[in-house]
Structures are given as C-alpha cells and as structure tokens.
Amino acid sequence: MNASEKAEATRIACWQPEWAASRSHRDEFLSRLAQTASSAADGGATLLITPEMSATGYHLGLARTAELAEPADGALADGVREIARRTGVAIVYGWPELTGEGVYNSVQLVDAAGAVTAPYRKTHLYGEFDTSVFTAGDQLVVQAKVGALTVGLLVCYDVEFPETVRAHALAGTDLLIVPTALARPWEFVAQTLVPARAFESQLFVAYVNWYSSGPDGYCGLSRVIGPDGRARADCAGTRAETLLFAEVDREELGTARRITPYLLDRRPELYGTAR
C-alpha cells in the first residue's frame, strides 16, 4: 500500500456490548462508553460505533422508554460530546429522542471535537413495539465527514430495504453505519442480507449489534462489510462483549465499482416508481 492509499484509510471500532437490563441508566452507559472510547483510541480508531439504542437498551416497553427519553441536546448528549473531546474519537450512539412530536429511535454522530454533525431518526419502524413506542423519522439520507470518509446513518430495519442503501450510495456515502438490535432467529440479516446490501450498492457497511444469551436474545454478529460483499472484520463466533476494529479504505470503492459497475449501469428511466 502506498502513501496515498494509506491516507485514504480510516480505522474504525465497533462496540458490541453485552445487554443487561440493569445497564439502562445514563451514568452507567457514559462510564462504559468512556472506557470503550479510550480503548478505541488506544487501538488507533478515529470513529467508534455503538448499537441501536446503545444508551438505554431497546426492548424496554413504552413506559420505560418514555422515562429514559431525552432531547438531542440533553445531558446524555453533553456526556457523549465530552467523551469524544477527551478521547479524540468520533462516536455514533443511539437513544430515545424526546421531542414535541413524540419519541424517535435516534442515533447521532458526534465528531472528535465534540460537535454533533449527523442526527438521524429511524425511518422504517418494525412491528408492534416500534410503531407503538416511536415516531418514524422522515429524512432518509443523513451524512457527515469523518476524515476522508463520507459516512451515512441508518438504524436496524432501515437497512433491510434495498432502496435505503441505494439512496445512500447515489448520494455519495462511503461508509454506511447501521446500529442495530438484531435478535435471534434473524441471524440471516447479518450473515446474508447486509453483505448483499454492501455489494449491490458498493459501499462499506458497519453493522453493529448487541449480544445476549438465550434463544431470543441479541445475536451479536457485528461486522464491517466491504463493497465487494466480503467481511473486513466480524464477530462471528464471539459470545461476549467485543470491540471490533476494521480499516475502511476509499480506494476499495473505486476498485469494486470498476469490476461490477452497478451504479453506472443503472437505467432509472425504466424503473418507474421503483427508482
């Protein structure tokens, strides 16, 4: 790898925490996040990605979710921003966002200087729990810069729609960040569908999940997939809390798009409303 290629590469860290209901308290999350961000920095990462609803946990019920919800500029955000500033690591985290319109399933990217650069609200709500607790977001493509990378955000179920990922690819996203709370028996999504999304839209996808034991628990399988559909790093076989590191190199995007030019060969004039 020559010097110009090295300049294009960004080292990221994906935190796959072990879920426990007792960890839904803000102060405990911030304490654990600070330790993890420090480990990410020690490992050379400039970006730390955490799972869906990483600050609180996901399947908490209407009352508990509402109790933990807070604004995008609340005490939780202040704590994350301070950790990012102190460690020099950009952080993606998730929480129930309290607004005048309702509670959103939200994620935010906080840059290494502690500024919020990309707030995103989950646009596709899955099942009775999501639809009974959250309001759906209405802005699909949210992007920001992290070093040389243009990063975009989706949440969990969002990535299961090919249109969402393709919209990001067409808008210039290099790395699509997907915090998730994928439970068993849906391992297929992480193992097969996410690599297919990365390959068909030819971008990097960081899919970051919780882990918990039990037949209905979170399945882990956090992974970073390249634009060729192959894993750059993954947590397959890991049954514990893990900090996963991967290199994301923009040079690989051009190579993949030359070999399989899906984006160039599209004929949207034929697709009608399926564009």
Side-chain angles (χ1 to χ4, degrees), residues 4-272:
S4 64
E5 287 175 323
K6 288 180 181 178
E8 291 286 339
T10 301
R11 187 163 174 81
I12 68 172
C14 303
W15 181 27
Q16 179 176 287
E18 188 167 3
W19 163 244
S22 62
R23 291 176 173 172
S24 62
H25 192 276
R26 178 204 304 141
D27 291 344
E28 178 166 354
F29 167 71
L30 290 173
S31 175
R32 298 179 72 220
L33 181 67
Q35 295 172 9
T36 304
S38 179
S39 296
D42 289 344
T46 56
L47 171 63
L48 172 63
I49 305 166
T50 72
E52 181 178 14
M53 290 286 176
S54 54
T56 61
Y58 178 47
H59 292 97
L60 299 177
L62 177 60
R64 182 60 173 157
T65 301
E67 179 184 351
L68 295 171
E70 58 178 273
D73 59 354
L76 173 65
D78 290 343
V80 176
R81 293 172 64 191
E82 173 57 29
I83 292 167
R85 282 193 294 266
R86 189 166 67 246
T87 60
V89 175
I91 298 171
V92 174
Y93 73 100
W95 87 109
E97 181 190 359
L98 180 64
T99 74
E101 297 78 42
V103 175
Y104 291 91
N105 183 335
S106 294
V107 295
Q108 287 193 144
L109 170 61
V110 176
D111 70 16
V116 175
T117 59
Y120 174 75
R121 295 165 173 171
K122 187 176 182 180
T123 53
H124 297 74
L125 302 181
Y126 175 74
E128 183 178 354
F129 173 76
D130 257 10
T131 56
S132 65
V133 173
F134 299 112
T135 299
D138 58 10
Q139 185 178 358
L140 179 61
V141 177
V142 173
Q143 297 170 310
K145 295 292 287 188
V146 176
L149 296 176
T150 298
V151 303
L153 299 170
L154 293 177
V155 176
C156 195
Y157 191 46
D158 290 330
V159 80
E160 298 178 38
F161 295 82
E163 299 90 347
T164 63
V165 183
R166 180 55 56 84
H168 270 277
L170 295 175
T173 295
D174 301 319
L175 169 64
L176 185 59
I177 295 170
V178 188
T180 189
L182 184 69
R184 302 177 186 92
W186 303 107
E187 294 93 335
F188 168 87
V189 173
Q191 294 167 334
T192 302
L193 193 151
V194 169
R197 291 287 174 269
F199 180 69
E200 69 193 5
S201 282
Q202 300 184 307
L203 38 60
F204 285 90
V205 178
Y207 189 75
V208 185
N209 195 19
W210 296 88
Y211 175 79
S212 59
S213 60
D216 300 320
Y218 298 113
C219 64
L221 297 176
S222 298
R223 50 193 29 212
V224 178
I225 306 295
D228 57 1
R230 295 184 173 91
R232 298 298 180 270
D234 69 62
C235 290
T238 301
R239 297 182 177 274
E241 185 163 318
T242 304
L243 188 61
L244 183 72
F245 290 89
E247 300 287 338
V248 177
D249 190 342
R250 292 187 71 249
E251 291 291 319
E252 294 187 37
L253 297 171
T255 300
R257 291 168 184 174
R258 285 192 297 271
I259 294 171
T260 312
Y262 288 135
L263 301 181
L264 182 64
D265 290 345
R266 293 175 69 248
R267 295 191 61 192
E269 73 277 8
L270 302 180
Y271 305 156

